[in-house]
Amino acid sequence: MPKDGSGLSLDGLGLPLWLVLELTYKCPLKCPWCSNPVDFDQYRNELTTEEWKKVLRAGRRLGSLQLGFTGGEPMLRNDLEELVAEADSLGYYTNLITSGVGLNKDRLRALKKAGLKQVQLSIQSNDRQHSTKLVGVDVLDHKIDIARSIKAEGFPMVLNVPVSRFNIERTEALIDLAEDLGVEYLEFANLQYYNWALLNRAELLPTREQLAKSEAAVNAARARLGKKLTIFFVVPDYYDDRPKACMNGWGAVHLTIAPDGTALPCQEARLIKGIDFPSVRDHELDWIWHKSPAFNKFRGDSWMSEPCRSCSEKEKDFGGCRCQAFLFTGDAANTDPVCSKSSNRHLIDNLIARAEQRGIPETACDGPLKMRETKRRQRSEAQ
């Protein structure tokens, strides 16, 4: 699926080719880089099974082809197998994006029978103690066991590593683990700094030295392994001088439905203040995609100001990430500050300078990370 940091460029001919269903924001892990909203516990009115099925049918009518079931942790939905079966009957290529918690051999077999086509499993470390510090729960042994079960059931599998300065030194070890597990794809996804990752950015952002060393290890493994293992390495865009073509452009090929039914042009978009994102409970998906003000707000280039408006690369990067522009400048219509042409590029450079000064961590987690937890729990632990 296209996302921040991906190098994929695709003309979807105005169709939402990638549909992502965030079935729930609930998750047993406490990852301090979680992409869910910081106030995720405020969104409790999840769509019902029948409401999700309506979304699936509407998505196919719009032209959606690839479908991601994600969260939170989608395995916490007891109707996941039923939704997968519905999606398969409609002709979607279905992908489960999971931490592995809640997944077992019986549910794997049920999901395969329902028509699930691929599994993406997240893993944060090759070391149990280190993994527990990073995600707040002792789950590494289960992740490895379920990875072997996923392969035993014959699923194509992506092993996804969310990369920060706390685990980037383990690149070679994680490649060895992926090779041992027999997965087809390994993705080192350097974090994109939104929501929980934004809260912890000062601690999580790796140094240039770490990135260079990690990418060298990836390139060496590519040469050694060839087609045996495909390795993706997604660099944090702060270190580029041109912005990524985020989601191939706003409302171009990607459509996310949040647990409460809110429709979004990317999974992070609801953090932009001042945009009224429509709900599938109030509007037909066809209207949302084609006619809603939210999805049309940053389509094309008429919304652009300088330097984007006259830039020769605007049809390649679409002005970059609207969420990032909002977070740094307070205006989602501004040029992505990653761009060297942006008057706000110094904000990015200051962050990088601080990361360089902080250096490589001496221990597995040497910083005060804010772990993903509900505000209620944070208050109770503070008392």
Side-chain angles (χ1 to χ4, degrees):
M1 261 172 251
K3 60 183 177 183
D4 268 357
S6 73
L8 179 62
S9 179
L10 178 68
D11 183 358
L13 301 176
L15 303 176
L17 299 182
W18 275 274
L19 178 62
V20 172
L21 306 189
E22 293 184 302
L23 298 180
T24 181
Y25 283 148
K26 298 172 184 175
C27 183
L29 304 188
K30 302 177 182 179
C31 302
W33 53 79
C34 181
S35 63
N36 290 167
V38 174
D39 60 348
F40 66 90
D41 56 318
Q42 301 300 309
Y43 302 96
R44 304 174 193 171
N45 190 18
E46 295 177 1
L47 295 185
T48 66
T49 304
E50 291 307 313
E51 286 175 318
W52 280 123
K53 287 183 177 180
K54 181 181 177 182
V55 170
L56 289 171
R57 293 190 291 269
R60 283 297 288 132
R61 289 194 297 270
L62 276 173
S64 297
L65 298 173
Q66 183 161 331
L67 175 67
F69 290 103
T70 184
E73 175 47 63
M75 295 308 306
L76 296 181
R77 288 281 300 216
N78 294 327
D79 57 356
L80 178 60
E81 291 84 349
E82 185 177 349
L83 294 176
V84 169
E86 177 74 8
D88 186 64
S89 72
L90 292 168
Y92 285 102
Y93 183 88
T94 50
N95 180 31
L96 175 65
I97 304 166
T98 178
S99 70
V101 178
L103 193 54
N104 55 43
K105 292 180 179 179
D106 288 341
R107 292 200 76 180
L108 266 176
R109 294 186 185 112
L111 287 166
K112 187 172 184 179
K113 183 178 180 180
L116 184 67
K117 298 299 189 291
Q118 186 186 64
V119 179
Q120 177 175 309
L121 178 72
S122 66
I123 195 163
Q124 294 76 28
S125 179
N126 65 311
D127 177 82
R128 179 181 175 187
Q129 183 178 9
H130 184 221
S131 173
T132 302
K133 286 184 177 180
L134 287 175
V135 304
V137 185
D138 184 0
V139 292
L140 180 60
D141 290 347
H142 174 75
K143 283 176 176 283
I144 293 175
D145 287 344
I146 206 62
R148 298 193 190 282
S149 296
I150 290 168
K151 293 310 304 168
E153 290 297 327
F155 284 106
M157 181 177 163
V158 180
L159 195 65
N160 177 270
V161 182
V163 179
S164 72
R165 81 180 184 106
F166 291 120
N167 65 350
I168 196 169
E169 302 291 324
R170 296 176 179 266
T171 299
E172 291 183 3
L174 287 162
I175 292 171
D176 291 342
L177 176 60
E179 185 181 4
D180 177 62
L181 292 173
V183 304
E184 291 82 3
Y185 304 97
L186 173 62
E187 180 182 30
F188 288 101
N190 278 273
L191 298 178
Q192 305 299 313
Y193 293 95
Y194 311 105
N195 292 316
W196 289 91
L198 182 66
L199 288 182
N200 291 292
R201 180 176 56 193
E203 299 300 329
L204 295 173
L205 185 64
T207 66
R208 290 186 187 275
E209 179 184 350
Q210 286 182 302
L211 284 168
K213 181 180 177 182
S214 178
E215 192 164 18
V218 167
N219 289 333
R222 286 170 174 162
R224 174 173 61 87
L225 296 171
K227 296 182 180 179
K228 181 180 178 181
L229 175 63
T230 299
I231 307 176
F232 301 101
F233 189 81
V234 182
V235 178
D237 56 357
Y238 289 0
Y239 288 95
D240 284 343
D241 63 359
R242 289 290 185 273
K244 303 290 193 301
C246 183
M247 298 301 179
N248 290 280
W250 180 279
V253 298
H254 182 95
L255 173 60
T256 287
I257 309 299
D260 61 350
T262 301
L264 303 164
C266 78
Q267 287 168 266
E268 315 299 345
R270 73 190 314 162
L271 61 79
I272 301 176
K273 307 303 180 185
I275 300 180
D276 183 18
F277 291 104
S279 170
V280 297
R281 283 175 163 149
D282 302 321
H283 302 280
E284 294 296 323
L285 202 60
D286 181 272
W287 179 89
I288 289 173
W289 179 258
H290 290 294
K291 297 182 179 180
S292 70
F295 274 76
N296 281 293
K297 189 170 183 64
F298 298 116
R299 281 177 172 152
D301 59 15
S302 62
W303 58 272
M304 292 181 180
S305 56
E306 296 296 346
C308 292
R309 184 179 291 274
S310 59
C311 181
S312 61
E313 299 179 57
K314 67 181 180 182
E315 294 183 1
K316 296 179 182 179
D317 60 34
F318 315 108
C321 176
R322 300 302 89 222
C323 297
Q324 195 152 263
F326 174 79
L327 289 173
F328 276 90
T329 74
D331 186 349
N334 283 338
T335 301
D336 186 331
V338 160
C339 186
S340 61
K341 297 181 181 181
S342 168
S343 61
N344 293 299
R345 173 66 206 194
H346 66 281
L347 300 175
I348 300 290
D349 292 333
N350 290 342
L351 285 173
I352 294 173
R354 289 200 291 272
E356 298 299 321
Q357 292 172 356
R358 187 190 57 236
I360 298 172
E362 296 182 1
T363 61
C365 281
D366 65 358
L369 295 173
K370 297 180 179 68
M371 306 300 281
R372 172 199 149 115
E373 292 178 329
T374 66
K375 291 182 178 180
R376 296 190 304 277
R377 180 164 182 170
Q378 291 172 1
R379 285 195 297 268
S380 65
E381 290 183 351
Q383 292 173 352

